Amino acid sequence: MPTKFILIGSGLAGGLLGAYLGRRGYDVDLYERRTDPREGNIVGGRSINLAVSTRGIHALEQLGIANEVLRHAIPMRGRMIHDKSGDLHFAPYDVDPKKCINSIGRAALNTTVIDAAQRYPNVRVHFNHRCTEVDLNEAVAYLETETGQVTASGDAVIGVDGAFSAVRQSMQRKIEKFEYEESYLAHGYKELAIPPGPDGSWRMEKNALHIWPRKSFMMIALPNPDCSFTCTLFWEFEGPRSFATTKTDDDVRDFFREEFPDAVPLMPTLLEDFRQNPTGSLVTIRCASWFHKDKIALVGDAAHAVVPFYGQGMNAAFEDCVVLDECLAEFPDNRERAFAEYFSRRKENADALADLAIDNFIEMRDKTASRAFRAKKKLDHLLEGLLPGVYLPLYTMVTFTRMPYATAAKRARFQNGIVYGSLFGVGILVFLLLIGLFRVIAG
Ligand SMILES: Cc1cc2nc3c(=O)[nH]c(=O)nc-3n(C[C@H](O)[C@H](O)[C@H](O)COP(=O)(O)OP(=O)(O)OC[C@H]3O[C@@H](n4cnc5c(N)ncnc54)[C@H](O)[C@@H]3O)c2cc1C
């Protein structure tokens, strides 16, 4: 009898993991609380589109579905910065213009990974099943359906059920010394829309991630295949100017005209969107351990939700699937060892990504607007060009390689130390030379 896995959650990572486990010949039952996304329901409450990069593409390639996903993707080659006067500055992501991140629709990606899982006859997907509790020692999941309770038992249960994971909550309640930490940003987010032009054309540069950096807050926009853009406003929940104080249509109009004047004419449904779309919160979750004996494991946001500012949450969740699959292959007869190895290979990297994502919020909303930032990016690209393979900017390591996140973060600190140390040394040398020159002239 093949090992039977019960997967809870068929979001982005759940569908992909179902496909990986199905490919290995395991018996898989995947339970999702929502209805089938292929029946047209939108994955509500989360971003409409998101950026997939090297790590996510690698995970999709291993299953042969990367082209299927990328066929509908829009490459974004850099950041298009919109300042308050409407001036635009383009900052490429990498010295190599071919390196880009890709904007894809969440619903289309979700559908593709679920289809990929269902290509294996040993994978079954059950929608409208909400997990309420898990028996951690017996690997049994209790689920609610429209017609009553269902019990699903297997050899192991994997929680791929997102940041507010029911599987993790069972672990939090039942495992003594389970480590858990959640922290919310003071900012929330709201999605808004820029529709295509009257002739169905793009109203801004399509191959860029647009940013309106405004120091303590920002708006971004990612392109969609129908020539529209999805904008996301990241703004304080509370404060003198915030979601809390912006109540009337006039408040919204005034705020947007003041802060994003070039975007307002492109957003005909701004007032309705602002009123109707929910304001989401941004959470970082760290926990340990991500497994319990050979019975339970956590994957993706259930184990490590991060704020979205590095565009890596889903990429990291996909990388989890690759690593868990590798560990199960390395220890086919010892699942507990496989789970332990998966946890030890991923935990440090998930923690590093959580920090990088928060740091990048400050970079995006504040530093991208400055000349110093643009000069630093140019220096980064110059050094990358002069020292290929030796100097790699942090963004490049995180986004365009599969180097472990923790290694990338350490290497960036080391590189920065050398670059800034050298610049400081050169500065001192120039200063001393100038003083010497001055003395010669004076005396
Ligand atoms: C605004 C925003 C922008 C983002 N942009 C990016 C980006 O550009 N790039 C990127 O890589 N990442 C991005 N992310 C992060 C990305 O969305 C997540 O990291 C990713 O969705 C995690 O996948 P997951 O499968 O672990 O969780 P989810 O996608 O949340 O899926 C969890 C699934 O489990 C189901 N579920 C939940 N509870 C239960 C239950 N009790 N029983 C049964 N099913 C359940 C849910 O319905 C859902 O289908 C962004 C996130 C946000 C909020």
Side-chain angles (χ1 to χ4, degrees):
M1 284 272 283
T3 302
K4 181 171 177 182
F5 283 99
I6 304 293
L7 265 54
I8 305 297
S10 80
L12 302 182
L16 192 82
L17 185 62
Y20 268 95
L21 296 178
R23 188 178 64 158
R24 286 232 172 263
Y26 295 120
D27 207 21
V28 180
D29 274 298
L30 180 48
Y31 293 94
E32 164 61 42
R33 70 177 172 188
R34 294 183 206 273
T35 50
D36 189 338
R38 293 163 295 190
E39 287 166 7
N41 71 317
I42 303 165
V43 189
R46 311 299 301 274
S47 61
I48 290 168
N49 54 19
L50 66 182
V52 62
S53 49
T54 298
R55 295 166 204 267
I57 294 170
H58 171 77
L60 295 165
E61 274 169 350
Q62 303 311 296
L63 291 173
I65 55 172
N67 288 342
E68 217 171 303
V69 169
L70 291 175
R71 207 174 38 230
H72 305 293
I74 310 217
M76 298 180 288
R77 306 194 191 288
R79 297 164 165 142
M80 185 67 83
I81 311 296
H82 296 240
D83 68 22
K84 266 196 183 181
S85 68
D87 282 350
L88 300 177
H89 308 273
F90 182 72
Y93 280 128
D94 195 81
V95 67
D96 175 355
K98 287 202 285 299
K99 288 205 178 126
C100 56
I101 58 176
N102 302 278
S103 175
I104 44 167
R106 183 181 288 267
L109 179 60
N110 204 173
T111 298
T112 307
V113 291
I114 293 172
D115 282 346
Q118 285 189 320
R119 277 182 209 141
Y120 298 95
N122 42 327
V123 179
R124 293 161 298 273
V125 188
H126 314 267
F127 295 99
N128 303 307
H129 282 67
R130 188 173 76 86
C131 176
T132 50
E133 185 71 62
V134 175
D135 182 329
L136 304 180
N137 293 320
E138 299 298 327
V140 175
Y142 299 96
L143 303 131
E144 266 175 16
T145 70
E146 274 178 6
T147 51
Q149 294 274 345
V150 173
T151 304
S153 54
D155 296 296
V157 174
I158 305 193
V160 213
D161 47 347
F164 304 100
S165 164
V167 178
R168 190 193 63 234
Q169 284 169 23
S170 285
M171 296 169 85
Q172 287 170 241
R173 278 195 298 274
K174 296 176 189 171
I175 299 175
E176 226 187 304
K177 296 191 181 156
F178 185 81
E179 291 169 27
Y180 180 73
E181 193 191 310
E182 63 178 28
S183 58
Y184 284 87
L185 288 190
H187 295 68
Y189 71 93
K190 194 182 278 291
E191 292 201 329
L192 304 161
I194 294 183
D199 53 350
S201 60
W202 296 96
R203 307 204 64 183
M204 302 190 293
E205 166 58 50
K206 73 166 182 171
N207 294 121
L209 189 153
H210 294 260
I211 310 181
W212 290 257
R214 298 293 181 263
K215 292 212 178 289
S216 72
F217 62 93
M218 68 173 177
M219 183 165 80
I220 65 169
L222 271 70
N224 296 311
D226 66 355
C227 297
S228 68
F229 288 84
T230 302
C231 306
T232 313
L233 169 67
F234 295 95
W235 199 19
E236 286 96 335
F237 276 116
E238 305 284 341
R241 262 196 349 159
S242 62
F243 280 118
T245 56
T246 306
K247 294 208 167 72
T248 65
D249 284 355
D250 282 343
D251 293 342
V252 177
R253 212 182 281 114
D254 290 348
F255 169 66
F256 272 78
R257 277 190 188 147
E258 190 183 326
E259 296 296 341
F260 314 116
D262 63 331
V264 173
L266 312 179
M267 303 174 88
T269 55
L270 170 64
L271 299 178
E272 294 92 296
D273 291 347
F274 198 92
R275 240 183 282 123
Q276 282 160 17
N277 293 349
T279 309
S281 50
L282 298 162
V283 66
T284 301
I285 288 173
R286 299 171 202 252
C287 68
S289 164
W290 296 356
F291 71 102
H292 175 68
K293 303 181 183 164
D294 63 345
K295 300 292 184 201
I296 311 286
L298 298 173
V299 167
D301 277 15
H304 52 77
V306 299
V307 293
F309 305 108
Y310 234 113
Q312 285 292 312
M314 169 264 297
N315 286 284
F318 279 12
E319 206 169 46
D320 285 351
C321 299
V322 174
V323 174
L324 180 57
D325 178 62
E326 281 166 7
C327 293
L328 287 167
E330 272 176 51
F331 305 101
D333 304 320
N334 188 346
R335 197 167 52 249
E336 183 168 357
R337 177 84 198 275
F339 285 171
E341 197 62 36
Y342 153 72
F343 172 59
S344 92
R345 288 183 199 176
R346 295 302 287 157
K347 172 67 175 155
E348 180 193 22
N349 293 308
D351 285 345
L353 174 61
D355 295 337
L356 289 170
I358 288 173
D359 291 349
N360 214 42
F361 184 31
I362 300 163
E363 174 159 323
M364 285 176 86
R365 71 175 199 219
D366 186 358
K367 297 188 186 156
T368 50
S370 75
R371 285 213 174 88
F373 172 84
R374 291 202 283 273
K376 163 83 171 69
K377 286 285 153 201
K378 282 191 182 139
L379 178 66
D380 267 351
H381 293 169
L382 180 74
L383 290 171
E384 193 185 355
L386 288 174
L387 305 164
V390 177
Y391 183 90
L392 283 175
L394 177 60
Y395 190 87
T396 298
M397 290 189 274
V398 169
T399 310
F400 301 123
T401 77
R402 292 194 296 117
M403 182 186 298
Y405 293 117
T407 310
K410 270 184 221 136
R411 186 163 159 179
R413 280 194 293 275
F414 177 72
Q415 288 179 170
N416 278 347
I418 294 191
V419 171
Y420 290 121
S422 312
L423 285 177
F424 182 71
V426 170
I428 296 275
L429 202 67
V430 170
F431 179 69
L432 292 175
L433 281 173
L434 284 177
I435 288 192
L437 198 64
F438 180 73
R439 282 203 178 132
V440 171
I441 294 167

